[in-house]
Amino acid sequence: PVTAEVIAGAARLKGIVKFGVGIDAIAIDAARARGIPVVNVPDYAEETVAEGAFALLMGLAKRFKPIQRAMAEQGWIWPTERWIGLDLAGKTLGLVGVGSIGSRMAGMAAAFRMRVLGYDPHAGSPLAETCADLRGMLAQCDFVSVHCVLNAGTRHLIGEAEMRAMKASAFLINVSRGEIIDEAALLAALLGKRIAGAALDVYGREPLAKSGHPLSALYAMDNVIVWPHLTFYTREALQRLEDETLERCFEIMQGCPVTVK
């Protein structure tokens, strides 16, 4: 975290450039009070993260985790009810957040002939049907993917009541920020089989750990994919991130207006 104390102790600080998207760990008010610009690199991995989210969705639908685990242990398995997957065509995807990443996710889902719903008070997509009521949308979805930013209004946006609104056959995907979901409520919903499964790339407390973590039980669940906050991590995305971060740093050091995207 770049706290107010860190900012106060940096006498020659000219600007703060986030090597990535989320600025929730930066004391914005403290920087503003000193006239220090804070800028992020918001669009280096929009499509990359959407691809990652869609890959996780497909992994849930096709039961990649338990099938791969069984293949590693047994060498081969035969088609029985335990391994049966789902088609995506005709299923309904609900997007919580339809900004840059959510819109790209909508496009990918549409290409698979999925129905796409979107809940977002601030944005929309021509590829998603707009829903004003979050719980009403969740009740219709076979898959729910979270793509909103973390702030005071979205912390625990998906809580116990929202998960109870979901179908028992529905899956939840989160590649945004862990605290947008009430993780204790999610764990209870999974243990109680109130939803079919989940795929998570982000957690309220990172790193995730196989023991001593509130979500350690997820490792043993065949219907849960745990990913180590790496949906952004591709060669092409990192090159874009590096290039844009250096551009912002040079702008600050040369006294130029800082590009905001």
Side-chain angles (χ1 to χ4, degrees):
V2 182
T3 64
E5 290 76 18
V6 170
I7 292 170
R12 296 189 295 164
L13 184 62
K14 294 180 179 293
I16 300 172
V17 182
K18 170 61 190 281
F19 188 68
V21 180
I23 56 173
D24 45 283
I26 299 173
I28 303 294
D29 290 341
R32 184 179 290 120
R34 280 187 52 189
I36 294 168
V38 178
V39 65
N40 63 349
V41 184
D43 57 3
Y44 79 97
E46 293 169 342
E47 193 153 33
T48 303
V49 173
E51 286 180 2
F54 203 79
L56 291 173
L57 184 155
M58 291 193 72
L60 290 171
K62 308 304 180 183
R63 298 186 56 76
F64 283 179
K65 179 179 176 179
I67 289 174
Q68 180 58 43
R69 178 179 286 173
M71 287 291 289
E73 292 173 354
Q74 303 172 36
W76 189 257
I77 56 174
W78 294 99
T80 61
E81 181 69 21
R82 179 181 179 186
W83 311 117
I84 197 164
L86 298 170
D87 285 348
L88 299 185
K91 299 296 191 299
T92 298
L93 168 65
L95 300 171
V96 182
V98 196
S100 298
I101 298 173
S103 293
R104 285 163 171 77
M105 183 77 165
M108 294 173 193
F112 278 78
R113 297 192 295 108
M114 300 181 77
R115 179 190 180 205
V116 184
L117 308 180
Y119 171 81
D120 192 328
H122 309 294
S125 168
L127 296 173
E129 301 173 37
T130 300
C131 297
D133 176 53
L134 176 58
R135 293 179 194 170
M137 182 190 81
L138 295 174
Q140 303 177 62
C141 296
D142 301 296
F143 298 89
V144 176
S145 193
V146 178
H147 298 284
C148 56
V149 298
L150 174 63
N151 55 38
T154 61
R155 182 171 276 104
H156 288 189
L157 179 65
I158 309 295
E160 180 181 5
E162 287 70 30
M163 278 177 260
R164 287 190 179 277
M166 293 172 62
K167 300 177 183 179
S169 58
F171 296 90
L172 181 62
I173 299 107
N174 187 12
V175 298
S176 186
R177 286 291 183 268
E179 291 180 330
I180 295 170
I181 294 176
D182 182 338
E183 293 175 325
L186 172 60
L187 184 59
L190 290 165
L191 291 170
K193 302 187 186 305
R194 294 199 302 273
I195 63 173
L200 306 174
D201 184 46
V202 290
Y203 311 89
R205 193 178 100 193
E206 295 184 1
L208 190 64
K210 295 189 76 172
S211 62
H213 190 285
L215 297 177
S216 294
L218 298 181
Y219 284 94
M221 297 182 183
D222 275 348
N223 61 337
V224 177
I225 298 174
V226 289
W227 209 248
H229 204 151
L230 286 183
T231 52
F232 74 97
Y233 197 58
T234 67
R235 196 173 307 281
E236 296 85 357
L238 290 185
Q239 187 62 59
R240 291 191 293 269
L241 175 58
E242 181 177 309
D243 292 344
E244 291 201 35
T245 298
L246 289 172
E247 287 177 12
R248 302 294 84 76
C249 290
F250 287 135
E251 289 169 350
I252 291 169
M253 290 189 293
Q254 292 166 2
C256 301
V258 184
T259 301
V260 178
K261 297 187 176 182

PDB file of all heavy atoms in Angstrom, residues 72-109:
ATOM      1  N   ALA A  72      -4.504 -37.341 -14.209  1.00  0.00           N
ATOM      2  CA  ALA A  72      -3.168 -37.377 -13.607  1.00  0.00           C
ATOM      3  C   ALA A  72      -3.030 -38.540 -12.635  1.00  0.00           C
ATOM      4  O   ALA A  72      -1.962 -39.151 -12.525  1.00  0.00           O
ATOM      5  CB  ALA A  72      -2.895 -36.053 -12.888  1.00  0.00           C
ATOM      6  N   GLU A  73      -4.119 -38.880 -11.944  1.00  0.00           N
ATOM      7  CA  GLU A  73      -4.057 -39.936 -10.937  1.00  0.00           C
ATOM      8  C   GLU A  73      -4.277 -41.326 -11.528  1.00  0.00           C
ATOM      9  O   GLU A  73      -3.649 -42.299 -11.100  1.00  0.00           O
ATOM     10  CB  GLU A  73      -5.116 -39.670  -9.856  1.00  0.00           C
ATOM     11  CG  GLU A  73      -4.822 -38.428  -9.010  1.00  0.00           C
ATOM     12  CD  GLU A  73      -5.967 -38.099  -8.063  1.00  0.00           C
ATOM     13  OE1 GLU A  73      -7.030 -38.766  -8.154  1.00  0.00           O
ATOM     14  OE2 GLU A  73      -5.808 -37.167  -7.250  1.00  0.00           O
ATOM     15  N   GLN A  74      -5.176 -41.416 -12.537  1.00  0.00           N
ATOM     16  CA  GLN A  74      -5.605 -42.729 -13.023  1.00  0.00           C
ATOM     17  C   GLN A  74      -5.115 -43.063 -14.431  1.00  0.00           C
ATOM     18  O   GLN A  74      -5.147 -44.219 -14.834  1.00  0.00           O
ATOM     19  CB  GLN A  74      -7.142 -42.801 -13.005  1.00  0.00           C
ATOM     20  CG  GLN A  74      -7.755 -42.532 -11.636  1.00  0.00           C
ATOM     21  CD  GLN A  74      -9.275 -42.419 -11.698  1.00  0.00           C
ATOM     22  OE1 GLN A  74      -9.926 -43.127 -12.470  1.00  0.00           O
ATOM     23  NE2 GLN A  74      -9.841 -41.530 -10.895  1.00  0.00           N
ATOM     24  N   GLY A  75      -4.717 -42.053 -15.190  1.00  0.00           N
ATOM     25  CA  GLY A  75      -4.260 -42.298 -16.550  1.00  0.00           C
ATOM     26  C   GLY A  75      -5.346 -42.251 -17.595  1.00  0.00           C
ATOM     27  O   GLY A  75      -5.106 -41.884 -18.742  1.00  0.00           O
ATOM     28  N   TRP A  76      -6.583 -42.597 -17.216  1.00  0.00           N
ATOM     29  CA  TRP A  76      -7.707 -42.569 -18.155  1.00  0.00           C
ATOM     30  C   TRP A  76      -9.013 -42.627 -17.375  1.00  0.00           C
ATOM     31  O   TRP A  76      -9.049 -43.209 -16.284  1.00  0.00           O
ATOM     32  CB  TRP A  76      -7.640 -43.762 -19.107  1.00  0.00           C
ATOM     33  CG  TRP A  76      -8.638 -43.679 -20.240  1.00  0.00           C
ATOM     34  CD1 TRP A  76      -9.820 -44.356 -20.353  1.00  0.00           C
ATOM     35  CD2 TRP A  76      -8.551 -42.847 -21.395  1.00  0.00           C
ATOM     36  NE1 TRP A  76     -10.464 -44.004 -21.505  1.00  0.00           N
ATOM     37  CE2 TRP A  76      -9.710 -43.075 -22.178  1.00  0.00           C
ATOM     38  CE3 TRP A  76      -7.600 -41.927 -21.850  1.00  0.00           C
ATOM     39  CZ2 TRP A  76      -9.949 -42.426 -23.381  1.00  0.00           C
ATOM     40  CZ3 TRP A  76      -7.830 -41.281 -23.062  1.00  0.00           C
ATOM     41  CH2 TRP A  76      -8.990 -41.532 -23.814  1.00  0.00           C
ATOM     42  N   ILE A  77     -10.067 -42.030 -17.924  1.00  0.00           N
ATOM     43  CA  ILE A  77     -11.401 -42.170 -17.334  1.00  0.00           C
ATOM     44  C   ILE A  77     -12.391 -42.405 -18.465  1.00  0.00           C
ATOM     45  O   ILE A  77     -12.126 -42.077 -19.627  1.00  0.00           O
ATOM     46  CB  ILE A  77     -11.819 -40.923 -16.524  1.00  0.00           C
ATOM     47  CG1 ILE A  77     -11.750 -39.652 -17.389  1.00  0.00           C
ATOM     48  CG2 ILE A  77     -10.967 -40.779 -15.273  1.00  0.00           C
ATOM     49  CD1 ILE A  77     -12.290 -38.421 -16.693  1.00  0.00           C
ATOM     50  N   TRP A  78     -13.532 -42.992 -18.115  1.00  0.00           N
ATOM     51  CA  TRP A  78     -14.569 -43.286 -19.096  1.00  0.00           C
ATOM     52  C   TRP A  78     -15.759 -42.360 -18.878  1.00  0.00           C
ATOM     53  O   TRP A  78     -15.947 -41.830 -17.779  1.00  0.00           O
ATOM     54  CB  TRP A  78     -14.998 -44.742 -18.990  1.00  0.00           C
ATOM     55  CG  TRP A  78     -13.890 -45.684 -19.373  1.00  0.00           C
ATOM     56  CD1 TRP A  78     -13.063 -46.357 -18.513  1.00  0.00           C
ATOM     57  CD2 TRP A  78     -13.467 -46.006 -20.691  1.00  0.00           C
ATOM     58  NE1 TRP A  78     -12.148 -47.100 -19.218  1.00  0.00           N
ATOM     59  CE2 TRP A  78     -12.376 -46.907 -20.561  1.00  0.00           C
ATOM     60  CE3 TRP A  78     -13.893 -45.656 -21.967  1.00  0.00           C
ATOM     61  CZ2 TRP A  78     -11.714 -47.448 -21.649  1.00  0.00           C
ATOM     62  CZ3 TRP A  78     -13.241 -46.186 -23.071  1.00  0.00           C
ATOM     63  CH2 TRP A  78     -12.166 -47.068 -22.909  1.00  0.00           C
ATOM     64  N   PRO A  79     -16.591 -42.130 -19.912  1.00  0.00           N
ATOM     65  CA  PRO A  79     -17.701 -41.185 -19.789  1.00  0.00           C
ATOM     66  C   PRO A  79     -18.793 -41.693 -18.848  1.00  0.00           C
ATOM     67  O   PRO A  79     -19.562 -42.598 -19.180  1.00  0.00           O
ATOM     68  CB  PRO A  79     -18.226 -41.053 -21.224  1.00  0.00           C
ATOM     69  CG  PRO A  79     -17.767 -42.285 -21.926  1.00  0.00           C
ATOM     70  CD  PRO A  79     -16.472 -42.661 -21.290  1.00  0.00           C
ATOM     71  N   THR A  80     -18.831 -41.111 -17.666  1.00  0.00           N
ATOM     72  CA  THR A  80     -19.890 -41.388 -16.694  1.00  0.00           C
ATOM     73  C   THR A  80     -20.466 -40.044 -16.245  1.00  0.00           C
ATOM     74  O   THR A  80     -19.901 -38.984 -16.512  1.00  0.00           O
ATOM     75  CB  THR A  80     -19.343 -42.150 -15.473  1.00  0.00           C
ATOM     76  OG1 THR A  80     -18.352 -41.334 -14.824  1.00  0.00           O
ATOM     77  CG2 THR A  80     -18.716 -43.479 -15.886  1.00  0.00           C
ATOM     78  N   GLU A  81     -21.560 -40.082 -15.538  1.00  0.00           N
ATOM     79  CA  GLU A  81     -22.266 -38.862 -15.125  1.00  0.00           C
ATOM     80  C   GLU A  81     -21.354 -37.905 -14.364  1.00  0.00           C
ATOM     81  O   GLU A  81     -21.499 -36.677 -14.457  1.00  0.00           O
ATOM     82  CB  GLU A  81     -23.473 -39.248 -14.255  1.00  0.00           C
ATOM     83  CG  GLU A  81     -24.320 -38.070 -13.780  1.00  0.00           C
ATOM     84  CD  GLU A  81     -25.086 -37.391 -14.910  1.00  0.00           C
ATOM     85  OE1 GLU A  81     -25.304 -38.028 -15.961  1.00  0.00           O
ATOM     86  OE2 GLU A  81     -25.463 -36.214 -14.737  1.00  0.00           O
ATOM     87  N   ARG A  82     -20.411 -38.432 -13.635  1.00  0.00           N
ATOM     88  CA  ARG A  82     -19.524 -37.593 -12.817  1.00  0.00           C
ATOM     89  C   ARG A  82     -18.745 -36.585 -13.660  1.00  0.00           C
ATOM     90  O   ARG A  82     -18.400 -35.511 -13.181  1.00  0.00           O
ATOM     91  CB  ARG A  82     -18.554 -38.503 -12.052  1.00  0.00           C
ATOM     92  CG  ARG A  82     -17.559 -37.747 -11.183  1.00  0.00           C
ATOM     93  CD  ARG A  82     -16.617 -38.704 -10.489  1.00  0.00           C
ATOM     94  NE  ARG A  82     -15.647 -38.005  -9.679  1.00  0.00           N
ATOM     95  CZ  ARG A  82     -14.634 -38.584  -9.050  1.00  0.00           C
ATOM     96  NH1 ARG A  82     -14.476 -39.898  -9.126  1.00  0.00           N
ATOM     97  NH2 ARG A  82     -13.780 -37.869  -8.332  1.00  0.00           N
ATOM     98  N   TRP A  83     -18.454 -36.927 -14.920  1.00  0.00           N
ATOM     99  CA  TRP A  83     -17.579 -36.080 -15.732  1.00  0.00           C
ATOM    100  C   TRP A  83     -18.338 -35.242 -16.764  1.00  0.00           C
ATOM    101  O   TRP A  83     -17.715 -34.504 -17.528  1.00  0.00           O
ATOM    102  CB  TRP A  83     -16.556 -36.951 -16.473  1.00  0.00           C
ATOM    103  CG  TRP A  83     -15.867 -37.944 -15.600  1.00  0.00           C
ATOM    104  CD1 TRP A  83     -15.908 -39.309 -15.694  1.00  0.00           C
ATOM    105  CD2 TRP A  83     -15.028 -37.662 -14.464  1.00  0.00           C
ATOM    106  NE1 TRP A  83     -15.157 -39.888 -14.708  1.00  0.00           N
ATOM    107  CE2 TRP A  83     -14.604 -38.898 -13.931  1.00  0.00           C
ATOM    108  CE3 TRP A  83     -14.606 -36.485 -13.841  1.00  0.00           C
ATOM    109  CZ2 TRP A  83     -13.781 -39.002 -12.815  1.00  0.00           C
ATOM    110  CZ3 TRP A  83     -13.788 -36.578 -12.730  1.00  0.00           C
ATOM    111  CH2 TRP A  83     -13.380 -37.817 -12.224  1.00  0.00           C
ATOM    112  N   ILE A  84     -19.643 -35.312 -16.771  1.00  0.00           N
ATOM    113  CA  ILE A  84     -20.396 -34.669 -17.855  1.00  0.00           C
ATOM    114  C   ILE A  84     -20.319 -33.142 -17.741  1.00  0.00           C
ATOM    115  O   ILE A  84     -20.401 -32.578 -16.642  1.00  0.00           O
ATOM    116  CB  ILE A  84     -21.864 -35.157 -17.870  1.00  0.00           C
ATOM    117  CG1 ILE A  84     -22.525 -34.826 -19.199  1.00  0.00           C
ATOM    118  CG2 ILE A  84     -22.657 -34.590 -16.700  1.00  0.00           C
ATOM    119  CD1 ILE A  84     -23.815 -35.603 -19.452  1.00  0.00           C
ATOM    120  N   GLY A  85     -20.108 -32.498 -18.883  1.00  0.00           N
ATOM    121  CA  GLY A  85     -19.968 -31.050 -18.911  1.00  0.00           C
ATOM    122  C   GLY A  85     -21.211 -30.358 -19.439  1.00  0.00           C
ATOM    123  O   GLY A  85     -22.285 -30.956 -19.560  1.00  0.00           O
ATOM    124  N   LEU A  86     -21.052 -29.080 -19.769  1.00  0.00           N
ATOM    125  CA  LEU A  86     -22.159 -28.253 -20.242  1.00  0.00           C
ATOM    126  C   LEU A  86     -21.790 -27.586 -21.559  1.00  0.00           C
ATOM    127  O   LEU A  86     -20.642 -27.184 -21.756  1.00  0.00           O
ATOM    128  CB  LEU A  86     -22.474 -27.151 -19.223  1.00  0.00           C
ATOM    129  CG  LEU A  86     -22.926 -27.570 -17.829  1.00  0.00           C
ATOM    130  CD1 LEU A  86     -22.951 -26.349 -16.919  1.00  0.00           C
ATOM    131  CD2 LEU A  86     -24.303 -28.216 -17.881  1.00  0.00           C
ATOM    132  N   ASP A  87     -22.783 -27.433 -22.443  1.00  0.00           N
ATOM    133  CA  ASP A  87     -22.635 -26.559 -23.601  1.00  0.00           C
ATOM    134  C   ASP A  87     -22.791 -25.111 -23.145  1.00  0.00           C
ATOM    135  O   ASP A  87     -23.544 -24.814 -22.204  1.00  0.00           O
ATOM    136  CB  ASP A  87     -23.711 -26.853 -24.649  1.00  0.00           C
ATOM    137  CG  ASP A  87     -23.451 -28.126 -25.432  1.00  0.00           C
ATOM    138  OD1 ASP A  87     -22.327 -28.664 -25.334  1.00  0.00           O
ATOM    139  OD2 ASP A  87     -24.365 -28.567 -26.134  1.00  0.00           O
ATOM    140  N   LEU A  88     -22.124 -24.201 -23.834  1.00  0.00           N
ATOM    141  CA  LEU A  88     -22.302 -22.780 -23.552  1.00  0.00           C
ATOM    142  C   LEU A  88     -23.425 -22.171 -24.378  1.00  0.00           C
ATOM    143  O   LEU A  88     -24.120 -21.261 -23.918  1.00  0.00           O
ATOM    144  CB  LEU A  88     -20.995 -22.022 -23.826  1.00  0.00           C
ATOM    145  CG  LEU A  88     -19.782 -22.440 -22.994  1.00  0.00           C
ATOM    146  CD1 LEU A  88     -18.608 -21.518 -23.298  1.00  0.00           C
ATOM    147  CD2 LEU A  88     -20.105 -22.418 -21.504  1.00  0.00           C
ATOM    148  N   ALA A  89     -23.609 -22.642 -25.605  1.00  0.00           N
ATOM    149  CA  ALA A  89     -24.659 -22.118 -26.467  1.00  0.00           C
ATOM    150  C   ALA A  89     -26.019 -22.257 -25.788  1.00  0.00           C
ATOM    151  O   ALA A  89     -26.365 -23.328 -25.279  1.00  0.00           O
ATOM    152  CB  ALA A  89     -24.658 -22.856 -27.804  1.00  0.00           C
ATOM    153  N   GLY A  90     -26.748 -21.151 -25.762  1.00  0.00           N
ATOM    154  CA  GLY A  90     -28.061 -21.163 -25.144  1.00  0.00           C
ATOM    155  C   GLY A  90     -28.065 -20.849 -23.662  1.00  0.00           C
ATOM    156  O   GLY A  90     -29.129 -20.609 -23.076  1.00  0.00           O
ATOM    157  N   LYS A  91     -26.890 -20.839 -23.026  1.00  0.00           N
ATOM    158  CA  LYS A  91     -26.811 -20.490 -21.612  1.00  0.00           C
ATOM    159  C   LYS A  91     -26.807 -18.970 -21.432  1.00  0.00           C
ATOM    160  O   LYS A  91     -26.541 -18.217 -22.376  1.00  0.00           O
ATOM    161  CB  LYS A  91     -25.551 -21.080 -20.980  1.00  0.00           C
ATOM    162  CG  LYS A  91     -25.478 -22.591 -21.022  1.00  0.00           C
ATOM    163  CD  LYS A  91     -26.574 -23.246 -20.212  1.00  0.00           C
ATOM    164  CE  LYS A  91     -26.349 -24.754 -20.041  1.00  0.00           C
ATOM    165  NZ  LYS A  91     -26.328 -25.476 -21.315  1.00  0.00           N
ATOM    166  N   THR A  92     -27.076 -18.521 -20.224  1.00  0.00           N
ATOM    167  CA  THR A  92     -27.127 -17.092 -19.916  1.00  0.00           C
ATOM    168  C   THR A  92     -25.949 -16.697 -19.042  1.00  0.00           C
ATOM    169  O   THR A  92     -25.713 -17.304 -17.992  1.00  0.00           O
ATOM    170  CB  THR A  92     -28.438 -16.726 -19.206  1.00  0.00           C
ATOM    171  OG1 THR A  92     -29.535 -17.010 -20.089  1.00  0.00           O
ATOM    172  CG2 THR A  92     -28.472 -15.252 -18.831  1.00  0.00           C
ATOM    173  N   LEU A  93     -25.218 -15.691 -19.500  1.00  0.00           N
ATOM    174  CA  LEU A  93     -24.105 -15.123 -18.742  1.00  0.00           C
ATOM    175  C   LEU A  93     -24.520 -13.764 -18.202  1.00  0.00           C
ATOM    176  O   LEU A  93     -24.998 -12.906 -18.947  1.00  0.00           O
ATOM    177  CB  LEU A  93     -22.876 -14.954 -19.640  1.00  0.00           C
ATOM    178  CG  LEU A  93     -21.718 -14.118 -19.078  1.00  0.00           C
ATOM    179  CD1 LEU A  93     -21.108 -14.790 -17.852  1.00  0.00           C
ATOM    180  CD2 LEU A  93     -20.658 -13.867 -20.145  1.00  0.00           C
ATOM    181  N   GLY A  94     -24.331 -13.556 -16.910  1.00  0.00           N
ATOM    182  CA  GLY A  94     -24.586 -12.257 -16.296  1.00  0.00           C
ATOM    183  C   GLY A  94     -23.275 -11.580 -15.953  1.00  0.00           C
ATOM    184  O   GLY A  94     -22.403 -12.180 -15.314  1.00  0.00           O
ATOM    185  N   LEU A  95     -23.117 -10.343 -16.386  1.00  0.00           N
ATOM    186  CA  LEU A  95     -21.909  -9.573 -16.129  1.00  0.00           C
ATOM    187  C   LEU A  95     -22.189  -8.532 -15.053  1.00  0.00           C
ATOM    188  O   LEU A  95     -23.089  -7.697 -15.215  1.00  0.00           O
ATOM    189  CB  LEU A  95     -21.438  -8.879 -17.411  1.00  0.00           C
ATOM    190  CG  LEU A  95     -21.089  -9.805 -18.587  1.00  0.00           C
ATOM    191  CD1 LEU A  95     -20.852  -8.982 -19.840  1.00  0.00           C
ATOM    192  CD2 LEU A  95     -19.871 -10.648 -18.249  1.00  0.00           C
ATOM    193  N   VAL A  96     -21.429  -8.579 -13.984  1.00  0.00           N
ATOM    194  CA  VAL A  96     -21.519  -7.559 -12.948  1.00  0.00           C
ATOM    195  C   VAL A  96     -20.410  -6.550 -13.237  1.00  0.00           C
ATOM    196  O   VAL A  96     -19.259  -6.735 -12.857  1.00  0.00           O
ATOM    197  CB  VAL A  96     -21.367  -8.171 -11.544  1.00  0.00           C
ATOM    198  CG1 VAL A  96     -21.507  -7.093 -10.465  1.00  0.00           C
ATOM    199  CG2 VAL A  96     -22.404  -9.268 -11.334  1.00  0.00           C
ATOM    200  N   GLY A  97     -20.773  -5.508 -13.983  1.00  0.00           N
ATOM    201  CA  GLY A  97     -19.795  -4.566 -14.504  1.00  0.00           C
ATOM    202  C   GLY A  97     -19.648  -4.776 -15.999  1.00  0.00           C
ATOM    203  O   GLY A  97     -19.260  -5.859 -16.446  1.00  0.00           O
ATOM    204  N   VAL A  98     -20.006  -3.745 -16.767  1.00  0.00           N
ATOM    205  CA  VAL A  98     -19.954  -3.863 -18.223  1.00  0.00           C
ATOM    206  C   VAL A  98     -19.097  -2.723 -18.778  1.00  0.00           C
ATOM    207  O   VAL A  98     -19.467  -2.043 -19.726  1.00  0.00           O
ATOM    208  CB  VAL A  98     -21.369  -3.851 -18.850  1.00  0.00           C
ATOM    209  CG1 VAL A  98     -21.321  -4.369 -20.287  1.00  0.00           C
ATOM    210  CG2 VAL A  98     -22.335  -4.697 -18.041  1.00  0.00           C
ATOM    211  N   GLY A  99     -17.938  -2.519 -18.145  1.00  0.00           N
ATOM    212  CA  GLY A  99     -16.977  -1.547 -18.654  1.00  0.00           C
ATOM    213  C   GLY A  99     -16.116  -2.177 -19.732  1.00  0.00           C
ATOM    214  O   GLY A  99     -16.572  -3.037 -20.495  1.00  0.00           O
ATOM    215  N   SER A 100     -14.849  -1.790 -19.764  1.00  0.00           N
ATOM    216  CA  SER A 100     -13.967  -2.239 -20.837  1.00  0.00           C
ATOM    217  C   SER A 100     -13.793  -3.754 -20.852  1.00  0.00           C
ATOM    218  O   SER A 100     -13.904  -4.394 -21.906  1.00  0.00           O
ATOM    219  CB  SER A 100     -12.606  -1.564 -20.699  1.00  0.00           C
ATOM    220  OG  SER A 100     -12.735  -0.170 -20.831  1.00  0.00           O
ATOM    221  N   ILE A 101     -13.518  -4.353 -19.688  1.00  0.00           N
ATOM    222  CA  ILE A 101     -13.304  -5.805 -19.639  1.00  0.00           C
ATOM    223  C   ILE A 101     -14.624  -6.543 -19.792  1.00  0.00           C
ATOM    224  O   ILE A 101     -14.732  -7.512 -20.551  1.00  0.00           O
ATOM    225  CB  ILE A 101     -12.588  -6.202 -18.343  1.00  0.00           C
ATOM    226  CG1 ILE A 101     -11.200  -5.540 -18.278  1.00  0.00           C
ATOM    227  CG2 ILE A 101     -12.457  -7.723 -18.237  1.00  0.00           C
ATOM    228  CD1 ILE A 101     -10.473  -5.744 -16.962  1.00  0.00           C
ATOM    229  N   GLY A 102     -15.645  -6.079 -19.090  1.00  0.00           N
ATOM    230  CA  GLY A 102     -16.944  -6.733 -19.189  1.00  0.00           C
ATOM    231  C   GLY A 102     -17.493  -6.719 -20.600  1.00  0.00           C
ATOM    232  O   GLY A 102     -18.082  -7.704 -21.060  1.00  0.00           O
ATOM    233  N   SER A 103     -17.294  -5.607 -21.320  1.00  0.00           N
ATOM    234  CA  SER A 103     -17.777  -5.527 -22.700  1.00  0.00           C
ATOM    235  C   SER A 103     -17.082  -6.531 -23.598  1.00  0.00           C
ATOM    236  O   SER A 103     -17.696  -7.134 -24.487  1.00  0.00           O
ATOM    237  CB  SER A 103     -17.553  -4.113 -23.243  1.00  0.00           C
ATOM    238  OG  SER A 103     -18.370  -3.181 -22.556  1.00  0.00           O
ATOM    239  N   ARG A 104     -15.784  -6.714 -23.376  1.00  0.00           N
ATOM    240  CA  ARG A 104     -15.057  -7.705 -24.166  1.00  0.00           C
ATOM    241  C   ARG A 104     -15.501  -9.120 -23.822  1.00  0.00           C
ATOM    242  O   ARG A 104     -15.593  -9.989 -24.688  1.00  0.00           O
ATOM    243  CB  ARG A 104     -13.554  -7.527 -23.964  1.00  0.00           C
ATOM    244  CG  ARG A 104     -13.017  -6.313 -24.722  1.00  0.00           C
ATOM    245  CD  ARG A 104     -11.652  -5.883 -24.225  1.00  0.00           C
ATOM    246  NE  ARG A 104     -11.059  -4.873 -25.087  1.00  0.00           N
ATOM    247  CZ  ARG A 104     -11.408  -3.586 -25.087  1.00  0.00           C
ATOM    248  NH1 ARG A 104     -12.348  -3.161 -24.250  1.00  0.00           N
ATOM    249  NH2 ARG A 104     -10.826  -2.728 -25.902  1.00  0.00           N
ATOM    250  N   MET A 105     -15.794  -9.360 -22.565  1.00  0.00           N
ATOM    251  CA  MET A 105     -16.334 -10.658 -22.156  1.00  0.00           C
ATOM    252  C   MET A 105     -17.683 -10.901 -22.830  1.00  0.00           C
ATOM    253  O   MET A 105     -17.975 -12.022 -23.281  1.00  0.00           O
ATOM    254  CB  MET A 105     -16.485 -10.677 -20.629  1.00  0.00           C
ATOM    255  CG  MET A 105     -16.965 -11.971 -20.042  1.00  0.00           C
ATOM    256  SD  MET A 105     -15.679 -13.218 -19.977  1.00  0.00           S
ATOM    257  CE  MET A 105     -16.423 -14.399 -18.844  1.00  0.00           C
ATOM    258  N   ALA A 106     -18.484  -9.841 -22.937  1.00  0.00           N
ATOM    259  CA  ALA A 106     -19.786  -9.963 -23.599  1.00  0.00           C
ATOM    260  C   ALA A 106     -19.615 -10.389 -25.050  1.00  0.00           C
ATOM    261  O   ALA A 106     -20.370 -11.235 -25.558  1.00  0.00           O
ATOM    262  CB  ALA A 106     -20.536  -8.636 -23.519  1.00  0.00           C
ATOM    263  N   GLY A 107     -18.620  -9.821 -25.727  1.00  0.00           N
ATOM    264  CA  GLY A 107     -18.378 -10.180 -27.123  1.00  0.00           C
ATOM    265  C   GLY A 107     -17.980 -11.634 -27.292  1.00  0.00           C
ATOM    266  O   GLY A 107     -18.416 -12.317 -28.232  1.00  0.00           O
ATOM    267  N   MET A 108     -17.144 -12.117 -26.383  1.00  0.00           N
ATOM    268  CA  MET A 108     -16.724 -13.513 -26.458  1.00  0.00           C
ATOM    269  C   MET A 108     -17.909 -14.443 -26.216  1.00  0.00           C
ATOM    270  O   MET A 108     -18.078 -15.458 -26.909  1.00  0.00           O
ATOM    271  CB  MET A 108     -15.618 -13.769 -25.431  1.00  0.00           C
ATOM    272  CG  MET A 108     -14.340 -13.013 -25.732  1.00  0.00           C
ATOM    273  SD  MET A 108     -13.113 -13.173 -24.393  1.00  0.00           S
ATOM    274  CE  MET A 108     -11.950 -11.887 -24.887  1.00  0.00           C
ATOM    275  N   ALA A 109     -18.737 -14.099 -25.231  1.00  0.00           N
ATOM    276  CA  ALA A 109     -19.900 -14.938 -24.929  1.00  0.00           C
ATOM    277  C   ALA A 109     -20.885 -14.948 -26.095  1.00  0.00           C
ATOM    278  O   ALA A 109     -21.452 -15.991 -26.437  1.00  0.00           O
ATOM    279  CB  ALA A 109     -20.581 -14.433 -23.662  1.00  0.00           C
TER     280      ALA A 109
END
